[in-house]
Amino acid sequence: MGKTLDNVYKHQSLVYKYFLYVISVALIVFFFPKGGKFKYEFQKGKPWQYENLYAPIDFSIKKTQEEIEEEQSSIRKNKTDYYTYNASLVSDVKNEVGEELNLLFQSEGFSSSQRQALRELSEEVVEKLYIHGIFQNVPQSESTVVVKNNEAQPVSPSDYLGLEQAKKEVSEYLSGINATGANRLQGLIRNSLRANLFYDEALTESALNDELSKISYTRGEVDQGKLIIAKGEIVESEDFKILNSLKDEYESELWMGSNYYFILLGYTILVALVLIMLFLFLKRYRTEIFQNNNKVTFIFFNILLMVIATTLMVKHYENYIYMVPLCILPLILKNFFDARLGLFVHVLTVLILGFVVPNSFEYIFLQIIAGIVTILTVSELYKRANLFISVGQITLIYIIGYFAFHAIHEGNLENIEWILFGVFVLNGLLTLFAQPLIYMFEKIFGLVSDVSLLELSDTNSKLLKELSDKAPGTFHHSLQVANLAEAAANEIGANAMLVRVGALYHDIGKMENPTYFTENQITSVNPHDDLPPKESAKIIIDHVINGIEIARKNKLPDRVIDFIRTHHGTTVVYYFFKKQQELDSETDSENFKYPGPIPFSKETAILMMSDAVEAASKSLKNPTFTIIDEFVEKIVKGQMQANQYLNANITLKEIEMVKKVLKQKLTNIYHLRVEYPE
């Protein structure tokens, strides 16, 4: 048991990677849509590339979403409007007219026969007007039903009668009647008329919903064994609908029962294979990243983020899967690492998503092309215009790609889904969210981006201003080293921004005892003259330790602190070591060595060379091309003989290129101008 625990502790980094790997596979498979995968790939307008396909099961031909929406729209357009007939209001109108007639009869002399005739005439006119009812608002629909005495009675448009029209009808009814008082009766009825048909919104909506619920989502059946499509036959519109229906039926049936576990196993194996490829790539070509669990976690976190976002979109809003800004992934990884890793991870992520998205070939093609464009166009992300230009190009690629696929599938430019162009534009806008994401990832995972490096390179920052005030000579030296190192990094393709920032901060530890370093001594008094060589060496060596403490206190990123640690490697403070040897010939050089570690990257190796060359160049008197050449060669050769570059991934060719740049820069600095005649 004890040995087992020892092995776990020794390989805890590897154990963590295994754990991360298993969790990632499990999460991805968990978020995958719960359905099998149809084994045939097909596209509208393309030949059927497989053997003759016969229906493996009985299934229904499903209507497309467009067909269903068209039916729904037709039903809504031709819906029946329901109106409620108020019978009591008719009685009220009759009574009101009768009361008005009584008043009329009292004021004027009418015989009993005339009175009876007017009463009968008024009731006849009111009955005729209200036979279908009077509408408060005349219906616009051609299909209208009046609910009268709990019976639904259809009313034709010719019978629609509004209140104003009803009043005109009164005049028409009574205009040809010569009965005494007919004209007076006309006014009485018109004044008493009121609408008694009112729109019943609840009943209308209920009837509409009933009609909508009767819509069939299928249009025919395909019997088992029937030929669906023959090999080489073009997948026409009707074939495409039948194949999609079979695909949906097959996948929904396949996921049921014991098949569930086999499908789950298949998904797990495929996702596991893809993530194994990522681990192998990191181990073989990005060893530094592979050994850093924080960086590996960051990469897997971004993959999971994109996969989960896309699978959720597939489940709930399948038509808008392109709204997920997948190009954020290569953009962010290129910003923190390099272009090759960014593209590799992007392609693997797209392959994982290809298992679950509709039209997988189209999706994979568009996303990989967009990822390549992202890698090729995005550079110097700290420049705001660059990100906007790159996002514009990515959006354009999506639009052109969709246009091309639509032309291939349809053979014309009809039925283009213009809303997808809006989706692509929204995708581009969401890709701009990469900037705040980069800031968040820096804080969460402790990484450094070019944007942060640009901020740190500002010489007006608090820490560099403090260095300028306390140790002006060291500050000037750091600026010179930064210029040399940046030029050398550009020459060999290293991270110039990173090495410049590292150079600016590499000597901040000298702020603790600035006068013990020659560049800050403004008088001929040297405090080392009063100290034994061992103490002097300790003060010099301690500027590395002090620098690390100051950097941590000011929350500088670890990648910048690495330059402070390594800029002297494990070299010896040679001047004081020699002085101590004069006092004691058996002096051990280990007491005069910097703590290290030695440089472990191109950038830290460049800084070591630039720092040593710039500092030692102050001792040159009357430098010439030859002197500068021999001087640089001697310093770099000494560092190489001290095995300072064993861990740095820098080649001999690149070291030669760095030396060449340093010689050119020093020549420009120290080369004497031609003296002009007086």
Side-chain angles (χ1 to χ4, degrees):
M1 184 68 181
K3 290 183 178 179
T4 304
L5 289 174
D6 286 342
N7 288 330
V8 170
Y9 290 137
K10 287 178 183 177
H11 302 93
Q12 58 182 334
S13 177
L14 200 57
V15 170
Y16 173 78
K17 290 182 179 68
Y18 287 141
F19 174 76
L20 181 65
Y21 174 76
V22 171
I23 290 295
S24 299
V25 172
L27 280 174
I28 291 173
V29 173
F30 174 78
F31 278 98
F32 270 8
K34 301 299 184 287
K37 189 71 174 175
F38 194 50
K39 62 181 177 180
Y40 301 110
E41 286 287 341
F42 55 90
Q43 290 182 328
K44 188 177 178 182
K46 290 284 190 74
W48 179 256
Q49 300 175 349
Y50 310 96
E51 295 298 324
N52 295 355
L53 178 63
Y54 296 90
I57 54 175
D58 294 333
F59 66 94
S60 302
I61 303 173
K62 294 183 178 180
K63 294 178 182 177
T64 63
Q65 188 63 32
E66 291 77 14
E67 290 173 332
I68 294 170
E69 288 175 358
E70 187 177 342
E71 285 190 40
Q72 291 173 339
S73 176
S74 176
I75 290 173
R76 288 191 177 94
K77 183 179 179 181
N78 300 310
K79 71 181 175 69
T80 299
D81 290 335
Y82 284 81
Y83 286 79
T84 303
Y85 185 92
N86 189 340
S88 63
L89 193 140
V90 179
S91 300
D92 293 343
V93 171
K94 287 181 180 180
N95 293 333
E96 188 176 328
V97 172
E99 290 174 2
E100 292 293 330
L101 281 174
N102 289 335
L103 293 174
L104 177 65
F105 295 156
Q106 292 175 6
S107 62
E108 306 208 10
F110 286 92
S111 65
S112 59
S113 59
Q114 289 174 329
R115 291 181 182 184
Q116 184 63 28
L118 286 175
R119 288 184 189 281
E120 291 176 356
L121 184 59
S122 67
E123 288 187 2
E124 180 185 349
V125 171
V126 171
E127 285 289 343
K128 284 183 178 180
L129 291 173
Y130 283 102
I131 189 169
H132 294 298
I134 299 174
F135 290 93
Q136 179 71 31
N137 297 306
V138 177
Q140 302 299 317
S141 171
E142 294 185 359
S143 179
T144 303
V145 170
V146 172
V147 179
K148 185 177 181 182
N149 298 326
N150 293 324
E151 293 183 5
Q153 302 175 357
V155 181
S156 65
S158 60
D159 296 326
Y160 292 170
L161 190 63
L163 188 58
E164 293 301 320
Q165 182 63 29
K167 291 179 180 179
K168 291 179 182 178
E169 295 269 338
V170 173
S171 301
E172 291 178 7
Y173 286 148
L174 298 177
S175 60
I177 296 175
N178 296 322
T180 305
N183 290 335
R184 300 288 297 275
L185 179 62
Q186 182 182 139
L188 292 177
I189 295 174
R190 291 179 63 179
N191 291 335
S192 299
L193 285 179
R194 293 195 298 278
N196 76 323
L197 288 177
F198 301 95
Y199 181 66
D200 193 330
E201 184 177 357
L203 187 57
T204 301
E205 284 299 316
S206 176
L208 175 60
N209 291 331
D210 286 342
E211 288 296 317
L212 290 174
S213 66
K214 294 175 184 177
I215 292 177
S216 174
Y217 289 84
T218 62
R219 50 178 184 81
E221 299 284 330
V222 176
D223 297 327
Q224 184 177 358
K226 181 182 178 181
L227 177 65
I228 295 175
I229 192 168
K231 183 178 181 180
E233 187 179 340
I234 300 298
V235 180
E236 301 291 352
S237 178
E238 188 64 24
D239 298 325
F240 187 71
K241 293 174 184 176
I242 295 174
L243 287 169
N244 269 326
S245 298
L246 175 60
K247 179 182 177 181
D248 293 341
E249 187 73 20
Y250 182 83
E251 291 180 350
S252 62
E253 289 291 332
L254 192 64
W255 193 251
M256 305 299 290
S258 61
N259 291 328
Y260 171 85
Y261 299 103
F262 286 103
I263 294 169
L264 197 65
L265 177 64
Y267 275 142
T268 303
I269 291 172
L270 290 175
V271 173
L273 283 174
V274 172
L275 295 184
I276 283 175
M277 295 305 106
L278 176 56
F279 269 123
L280 291 176
F281 176 85
L282 292 176
K283 188 173 183 180
R284 185 175 180 84
Y285 298 106
R286 298 293 183 273
T287 307
E288 179 193 345
I289 296 174
F290 180 78
Q291 293 172 349
N292 189 319
N293 283 341
N294 184 52
K295 292 179 180 179
V296 173
T297 304
F298 172 70
I299 294 170
F300 272 77
F301 175 80
N302 278 277
I303 294 174
L304 286 172
L305 190 65
M306 290 298 129
V307 170
I308 291 171
T310 306
T311 50
L312 288 176
M313 190 65 75
V314 169
K315 285 182 182 180
H316 302 291
Y317 306 100
E318 186 178 280
N319 294 330
Y320 301 101
I321 55 172
Y322 287 103
M323 194 180 293
V324 179
L326 206 62
C327 287
I328 280 184
L329 183 60
L331 193 153
I332 288 176
L333 293 180
K334 180 183 177 182
N335 183 72
F336 283 115
F337 304 115
D338 60 87
R340 187 179 176 188
L341 176 60
L343 182 59
F344 189 83
V345 173
H346 177 72
V347 170
L348 291 183
T349 306
V350 172
L351 289 178
I352 291 174
L353 294 174
F355 302 148
V356 295
V357 296
N359 299 321
S360 56
F361 173 79
E362 179 180 326
Y363 180 85
I364 291 172
F365 182 89
L366 283 178
Q367 294 293 8
I368 289 179
I369 290 295
I372 292 171
V373 170
T374 303
I375 292 297
L376 293 177
T377 59
V378 174
S379 60
E380 298 178 323
L381 201 59
Y382 53 85
K383 296 180 180 178
R384 289 171 295 180
N386 288 0
L387 180 60
F388 282 95
I389 293 170
S390 296
V391 167
Q393 292 171 331
I394 293 166
T395 305
L396 184 62
I397 286 296
Y398 277 125
I399 292 173
I400 293 173
Y402 166 73
F403 179 82
F405 274 110
H406 181 83
I408 292 171
H409 294 163
E410 301 294 335
N412 55 56
L413 299 182
E414 298 175 2
N415 302 320
I416 289 181
E417 296 183 40
W418 296 104
I419 192 171
L420 276 178
F421 291 102
V423 170
F424 293 139
V425 171
L426 185 58
N427 178 294
L429 294 175
L430 289 174
T431 305
L432 293 174
F433 194 65
Q435 281 283 21
L437 267 182
I438 287 171
Y439 177 79
M440 290 165 57
F441 287 149
E442 285 178 342
K443 300 305 178 187
I444 295 171
F445 292 95
L447 300 173
V448 182
S449 69
D450 286 348
V451 179
S452 294
L453 292 175
L454 183 66
E455 293 173 357
L456 290 170
S457 67
D458 183 8
T459 53
N460 288 317
S461 65
K462 179 183 176 183
L463 191 54
L464 290 180
K465 286 189 77 172
E466 186 180 354
L467 176 64
S468 176
D469 292 337
K470 292 183 177 180
T474 299
F475 177 72
H476 179 72
H477 159 72
S478 298
L479 287 175
Q480 291 285 69
V481 173
N483 292 332
L484 292 174
E486 184 179 18
N490 283 324
E491 184 69 19
I492 67 170
N495 190 331
M497 180 68 75
L498 177 62
V499 77
R500 178 174 183 82
V501 173
L504 288 173
Y505 290 90
H506 78 284
D507 270 345
I508 55 173
K510 292 182 179 180
M511 287 193 293
E512 293 293 320
N513 298 293
T515 56
Y516 284 86
F517 300 90
T518 55
E519 67 266 23
N520 298 312
Q521 294 171 1
I522 56 177
T523 65
S524 58
V525 177
N526 189 339
H528 288 290
D529 293 340
D530 300 326
L531 296 175
K534 277 188 177 181
E535 285 190 31
S536 295
K538 186 178 183 306
I539 292 172
I540 299 298
I541 291 171
D542 280 351
H543 88 273
V544 173
I545 309 300
N546 294 334
I548 294 171
E549 291 176 357
I550 293 171
R552 290 200 180 283
K553 192 179 296 183
N554 286 271
K555 297 181 180 178
L556 290 185
D558 286 341
R559 290 184 74 186
V560 176
I561 296 175
D562 288 340
F563 287 91
I564 301 174
R565 289 193 187 98
T566 61
H567 74 278
H568 285 296
T570 56
T571 56
V572 176
V573 185
Y574 195 72
Y575 178 80
F576 292 110
F577 172 61
K578 282 295 181 183
K579 286 188 70 175
Q580 183 63 29
Q581 272 192 327
E582 292 174 4
L583 300 175
D584 181 5
S585 59
E586 296 182 0
T587 299
D588 187 359
S589 62
E590 290 296 322
N591 297 325
F592 291 83
K593 275 188 177 181
Y594 285 97
I598 60 176
F600 48 80
S601 66
K602 289 181 182 179
E603 289 78 15
T604 50
I606 289 170
L607 178 62
M608 173 179 271
M609 287 184 257
S610 303
D611 180 45
V613 166
E614 201 285 331
S617 68
K618 297 293 191 295
S619 63
L620 292 177
K621 296 178 181 178
N622 300 320
T624 63
F625 292 106
T626 304
I627 292 174
I628 290 174
D629 184 84
E630 292 175 352
F631 166 76
V632 173
E633 290 288 345
K634 178 184 176 183
I635 289 178
V636 176
K637 183 180 178 181
Q639 291 174 338
M640 292 177 68
Q641 287 176 342
N643 297 322
Q644 296 300 301
Y645 304 135
L646 287 181
N647 293 341
N649 59 337
I650 189 168
T651 64
L652 290 173
K653 181 181 179 181
E654 288 170 337
I655 291 175
E656 289 300 319
M657 293 167 71
V658 171
K659 289 194 292 186
K660 182 180 177 182
V661 171
L662 294 177
K663 291 171 186 177
Q664 288 175 345
K665 290 293 181 181
L666 287 177
T667 300
N668 292 336
I669 293 170
Y670 292 108
H671 185 55
L672 299 174
R673 293 185 178 183
V674 176
E675 291 187 9
Y676 291 94
E678 295 182 1

